Amino acid sequence: MAALSPGMDVESHCARCKMDLMHVVVAMVGVEPRRVRCRTCGAEHAYLAPQRSRASARRTPRAAAPARAAKPRKARAPEIDTSRSRPYRAEQAYQEGEVVHHLKFGYGVVERRLSNQKIEVRFELGPRLLIMNRAAQ
C-alpha cells in the first residue's frame, strides 16, 4: 500500500451517510489521516476507520471478567388487609399479627414482641423496631 498524503483517496466511515465510503484526505498527522471529505455527501469530518475493520477489532476475544456477587433481592412485603389496621401510637400496646399504619413507614404487620415496650414491625421497606406502651407526656 502506498503512503497516504493530502488529496489521495481513502476509505472511511461517513457518519452522515452512515456507510463506509471513499473520502479525500484533507489533513494528515504523521502517516495517519486526520481529516477527510466524503466524496458522496461532501461532509468534512475526522477520519473514522471503516466499520467493518472496527467491528472485527471488537470481536477479538477478551479475558473473562471476574464474576460479580449477586445483589441480595429485597423481600416483598406480603399483601396486608388494611381494613383492619390501627394507627400506630407509642402509647398503645400491640400483638403479633396486628396491622398498624405508621405515618412515615406506611402499613406494616407486627412480626414479634421483643419486650414489653418494643415490637418489630415489617413494612414494605423492611423491618423496623418501634416502641409501645409508653406513657403519654
Side-chain angles (χ1 to χ4, degrees), residues 14 16 25 33 63 89 122:
C14 182
R16 185 182 285 177
V25 176
R89 289 195 173 73
R122 174 151 316 266

Side-chain angles (χ1 to χ4, degrees), residues 2-130:
L4 288 174
S5 63
M8 293 183 73
D9 287 342
V10 66
E11 188 175 15
S12 177
H13 183 76
C14 182
R16 185 182 285 177
C17 298
K18 296 182 179 18
M19 296 185 339
D20 294 339
L21 298 168
M22 293 307 291
H23 287 68
V24 175
V25 176
V26 176
M28 302 276 297
V29 173
V31 294
E32 298 290 319
R34 180 56 57 112
R35 297 212 41 92
V36 292
R37 182 176 23 257
C38 180
R39 286 193 168 271
T40 304
C41 68
E44 187 174 313
H45 54 82
Y47 172 77
L48 297 170
Q51 282 208 337
R52 64 177 172 268
S53 66
R54 286 190 286 169
S56 64
R58 274 184 274 177
R59 286 192 201 115
T60 57
R62 295 183 184 178
R68 288 189 275 174
K71 289 182 180 178
R73 298 186 81 181
K74 187 169 90 174
R76 290 197 51 168
E79 292 294 321
I80 298 173
D81 181 13
T82 58
S83 63
R84 58 185 184 95
S85 68
R86 289 191 342 189
Y88 169 76
R89 289 195 173 73
E91 304 85 32
Q92 295 180 351
Y94 300 94
Q95 299 299 320
E96 290 179 6
E98 265 189 274
V99 178
V100 296
H101 181 252
H102 192 279
L103 291 176
K104 183 175 180 181
F105 304 123
Y107 291 98
V109 178
V110 177
E111 295 238 317
R112 59 188 173 146
R113 290 178 69 147
L114 300 173
S115 71
N116 223 12
Q117 293 188 327
K118 289 183 188 176
I119 54 173
E120 182 179 354
V121 181
R122 174 151 316 266
F123 294 100
E124 186 174 346
L125 297 174
R128 300 282 192 240
L129 293 178
L130 300 177

